[in-house]
Amino acid sequence: MALPIFSVSTACAILVLALYRYIIYPAFVSPLAKIPTAHFTSSISPAWILWTRFRGRNNVSTYNAHRRHGPVVRLAPNEISVNCVDGGIRTIYAGGMEKHRWYPDQFASYGVVNMFSTVEHHGHSARKRMLSNVYSKSFLQGSPQIRENSVILLRDRFLPSLQEAAERGTAVEVHEMNNEFTMDFMSAYLFGIANSTKFSINHVETRQFMVPYHSRRHYEFYSQEVPRLNQVTKKIGLPIVPQWVDDANERIEAWLLKMCEGANSYLNDTTSTGAEPVVYKQLKAAIEKNQAKGLGTYATDRMRLEIASEMLDHLGAGHETSAIALTYLFWEMSRHPDLQRKLHDEVLALEPRILWPPERKQGFDLPSSKSIDGLPLLHAIIMETLRLHAPIPGVEPRVTPTGGCTLAGYSNIPANVRVSAMAYTLHRNEDVFPEPEKWRVDRWLKPTDSPELKEMLRWFWAFGSGGRMCIGSHLAMQEIKLIVAAIYSNYTTSIISDEGIEAIDAYTTRPRSNQLILKFEHV
Ligand code: HEM
């Protein structure tokens, strides 16, 4: 039977339009067509990059694409990756391009966005202004609460447990230990020492949090990269992300709400003792102040969830990243006994020394944060660890603005293109970091006015850059420096097992085996 002419011509027109829209335009006409592609299908389909991400190969595959094609590569019809400072991260991140939907799809808790997951500038900068003071370097270095927390945590928890392991000669799984240390440290600053976690002395409590927290990781791909698929499969009753992931989220959220309630009771009770909940107090007061000025109106319950969403994000972002940095730092140091000796000499110059066991436990005191911060070798060791083992090595997606932009010489890049850079690739530029795969602490031990050091600092991206740069970078540096100084003042570390230490390829990394087993010996 002959088809009506109308149907045939309509079908042909649709086919030609589709051919133009999905193949000819993106591959040959679009302003993005001149950018080299990471894969031969990248200009017409996101399938390759989605499959690469699904298999956990995003960072290494994008890095290889940059090695082949230079500082700008096209990963998908509407996505590009940049790997340069001028015309790259400066334009995108310091230039203030907005975050991609990727963030709220993955990082909102209680159904409420927080500073990290807010997309638009206005809401983000209002929240950041509320909290920047309590995370500024001068505030942190002078904070009596951090000092009090640090003495308690080192004296009553961290150092006694390491001493016990050293005396008994027992092996220590340091990745979990680091997560415990950093969680106790971070939660004490957020919620006050009385309401903080006690993971480093209560391992059952650790597991109750860590198991649901990390078990969700496997499913992040769906909410980050294919959120609609996630929603649709849920609607039709065949969820691609199992129900237990939602249950795990609910358990974590309920657990965190209790800590917020504890901090709130502390503030309402005039007889409360111990270091106060600095961040909780600051955020609550700032939101209340805005409300009083008529700048925001929240029902009480909404305000509770706003605060909780922010606190949960800081607790997660704050403990996990620092723990990863510490794990790789201990691993590298354990492979470099010569550096352990040098660092030991450097930290022994602190006044007072962080010696354990102390002559009198109650007299245990710490050197000032400023003096620890000024130790050059300690600083270089941490910088090199954050370079080679960046805890967040993966994509930090943004969206090109209305009117488009120019990136690294490619002009007319249209609006709404997903663009990102990665610490993983920026930190492996061999012109800036010779022998990039080697952990070479000496590269950071250069005079402050050396051009090489200045160039390395321009490319150093462990904490991101621009208006959305990590708010916790000074806190993380202070905490890591304190813990490392305390450990190498007293112990040497050596590897018992580093099987599976290689990093997983993800937005936030960790050792594949989730563990590193070391031996601590008293010096
Ligand atoms: C070694 C430790 C840390 C590393 C490597 C790190 C890294 C980063 C990076 C790369 C970003 C930008 C992410 C993006 O745009 O996709 C970021 C943002 C952020 N980090 Fe950290 N971070 C660390 C510690 C902390 C700590 C201790 C806190 C505690 C408050 C924290 C809280 C945040 C928050 C709230 C943001 C979002 C900032 C904004 O959107 O303006 N981080 N961090």
Side-chain angles (χ1 to χ4, degrees):
M1 194 183 78
L3 281 170
I5 289 186
F6 176 73
S7 312
V8 173
S9 54
T10 309
C12 287
I14 290 174
L15 198 69
V16 169
L17 279 178
L19 203 67
Y20 181 78
R21 164 85 175 74
Y22 294 107
I23 297 186
I24 296 173
Y25 180 80
F28 304 106
V29 183
S30 157
L32 302 183
K34 48 190 186 270
I35 298 175
T37 51
H39 185 258
F40 74 95
T41 59
S42 296
S43 58
I44 55 166
S45 161
W48 174 78
I49 192 66
L50 286 177
W51 176 238
T52 302
R53 287 178 181 150
F54 179 75
R55 289 188 311 140
R57 304 272 305 156
N58 175 77
N59 303 351
V60 78
S61 300
T62 308
Y63 171 58
N64 288 337
H66 280 295
R67 279 170 72 88
R68 284 196 306 274
H69 301 300
V72 186
V73 288
R74 192 173 182 193
L75 302 175
N78 201 37
E79 179 174 1
I80 53 184
S81 169
V82 301
N83 191 36
C84 56
V85 176
D86 297 319
I89 55 173
R90 277 199 159 179
T91 311
I92 299 169
Y93 297 89
M97 290 189 195
E98 285 195 335
K99 280 190 165 176
H100 189 270
R101 285 277 332 153
W102 191 88
Y103 288 89
D105 285 339
Q106 171 64 23
F107 294 105
S109 313
Y110 309 93
V112 179
V113 289
N114 41 53
M115 182 199 309
F116 183 64
S117 54
T118 298
V119 164
E120 76 287 350
H121 287 307
H122 183 67
H124 167 263
S125 53
R127 176 58 54 83
K128 203 159 192 171
R129 271 198 306 278
M130 290 179 181
L131 289 170
S132 336
N133 181 39
V134 293
Y135 285 118
S136 71
K137 189 168 178 173
S138 55
F139 187 94
L140 293 165
Q141 285 192 343
S143 161
Q145 292 84 5
I146 294 218
R147 194 173 175 81
E148 185 182 330
N149 295 345
S150 302
V151 168
I152 293 173
L153 295 175
L154 284 178
R155 184 193 62 199
D156 300 344
R157 303 188 199 173
F158 305 168
L159 288 171
S161 72
L162 285 177
Q163 180 64 18
E164 192 185 326
E167 279 171 13
R168 291 189 178 177
T170 39
V172 181
E173 198 290 272
V174 296
H175 191 53
E176 182 163 299
M177 175 192 87
N178 293 335
N179 275 285
E180 294 171 344
F181 283 6
T182 54
M183 180 62 103
D184 286 0
F185 187 96
M186 195 62 221
S187 61
Y189 191 52
L190 292 172
F191 300 109
I193 191 82
N195 296 297
S196 63
T197 58
K198 296 183 179 51
F199 283 8
S200 48
I201 46 173
N202 182 345
H203 306 297
V204 175
E205 199 193 333
T206 309
R207 305 260 149 72
Q208 279 168 354
F209 172 82
M210 293 293 179
V211 171
Y213 187 82
H214 289 288
S215 63
R216 306 165 306 162
R217 280 290 146 79
H218 181 65
Y219 295 95
E220 275 176 358
F221 167 81
Y222 300 105
S223 41
Q224 285 172 346
E225 302 297 338
V226 281
R228 276 199 209 119
L229 181 68
N230 199 5
Q231 288 153 9
V232 170
T233 57
K234 214 173 195 174
K235 262 192 196 143
I236 59 170
L238 292 168
I240 206 158
V241 177
Q243 180 58 36
W244 64 259
V245 174
D246 290 341
D247 297 344
N249 282 332
E250 274 174 26
R251 263 165 54 208
I252 293 165
E253 289 178 358
W255 172 84
L256 194 281
L257 272 176
K258 275 200 194 138
M259 294 173 87
C260 289
E261 278 157 23
N264 212 30
S265 309
Y266 174 104
L267 295 175
N268 292 334
D269 182 352
T270 47
T271 62
S272 299
T273 52
E276 64 179 15
V278 177
V279 184
Y280 181 90
K281 182 182 172 187
Q282 169 77 15
L283 183 57
K284 185 164 185 254
I287 292 181
E288 283 171 351
K289 198 168 154 196
N290 270 3
Q291 256 180 309
K293 283 192 209 157
L295 291 177
T297 43
Y298 296 115
T300 311
D301 200 46
R302 169 74 188 191
M303 175 164 142
R304 205 168 67 103
L305 298 185
E306 287 267 339
I307 298 177
S309 177
E310 196 65 58
M311 295 293 110
L312 182 50
D313 183 57
H314 292 212
L315 198 59
H319 92 276
E320 197 181 357
T321 45
S322 306
I324 294 160
L326 283 167
T327 297
Y328 282 105
L329 187 148
F330 294 145
W331 179 60
E332 293 286 9
M333 288 297 280
S334 303
R335 302 193 311 157
H336 294 84
D338 52 322
L339 266 181
Q340 291 192 42
R341 279 189 292 277
K342 286 185 188 155
L343 182 61
H344 179 70
D345 291 345
E346 186 178 80
V347 291
L348 282 193
L350 289 165
E351 189 54 51
R353 295 173 172 189
I354 316 176
L355 295 184
W356 196 264
E359 279 174 18
R360 282 181 316 109
K361 206 174 166 195
Q362 285 321 310
F364 179 75
D365 197 9
L366 292 171
S368 70
S369 303
K370 208 170 175 181
S371 63
I372 304 177
D373 188 43
L375 299 176
L377 181 59
L378 178 60
H379 186 72
I381 287 169
I382 294 171
M383 291 298 280
E384 183 60 353
T385 304
L386 291 173
R387 181 196 68 82
L388 185 56
H389 305 288
I392 299 190
V395 286
E396 297 182 17
R398 303 294 189 262
V399 178
T400 53
T402 316
C405 64
T406 296
L407 288 174
Y410 290 99
S411 55
N412 298 324
I413 294 183
N416 286 322
V417 174
R418 172 169 157 169
V419 281
S420 45
M422 301 195 299
Y424 187 91
T425 49
L426 290 161
H427 289 181
R428 281 170 173 74
N429 178 345
E430 51 204 347
D431 296 334
V432 182
F433 305 104
E435 300 186 295
E437 292 296 343
K438 284 201 177 143
W439 189 74
R440 276 185 39 193
V441 169
D442 62 298
R443 68 173 94 238
W444 296 99
L445 291 168
K446 299 204 159 67
T448 41
D449 58 353
S450 105
E452 289 98 326
L453 182 63
K454 284 187 183 155
E455 193 57 5
M456 286 196 297
L457 289 172
R458 264 164 38 88
W459 285 74
F460 180 76
W461 215 55
F463 296 109
S465 58
R468 309 299 299 250
M469 187 182 160
C470 178
I471 198 174
S473 62
H474 299 299
L475 181 61
M477 289 301 272
Q478 189 165 323
E479 169 195 26
I480 293 171
K481 284 184 175 181
L482 174 69
I483 293 174
V484 175
I487 286 180
Y488 288 103
S489 291
N490 297 287
Y491 307 101
T492 58
T493 57
S494 53
I495 296 172
I496 292 189
S497 170
D498 62 356
E499 206 188 321
I501 190 67
E502 63 280 2
I504 60 159
D505 187 316
Y507 172 71
T508 307
T509 188
R510 62 169 169 80
R512 185 179 51 75
S513 60
N514 236 342
Q515 64 174 27
L516 169 66
I517 301 173
L518 299 183
K519 184 173 177 186
F520 286 77
E521 286 174 281
H522 206 280
V523 187

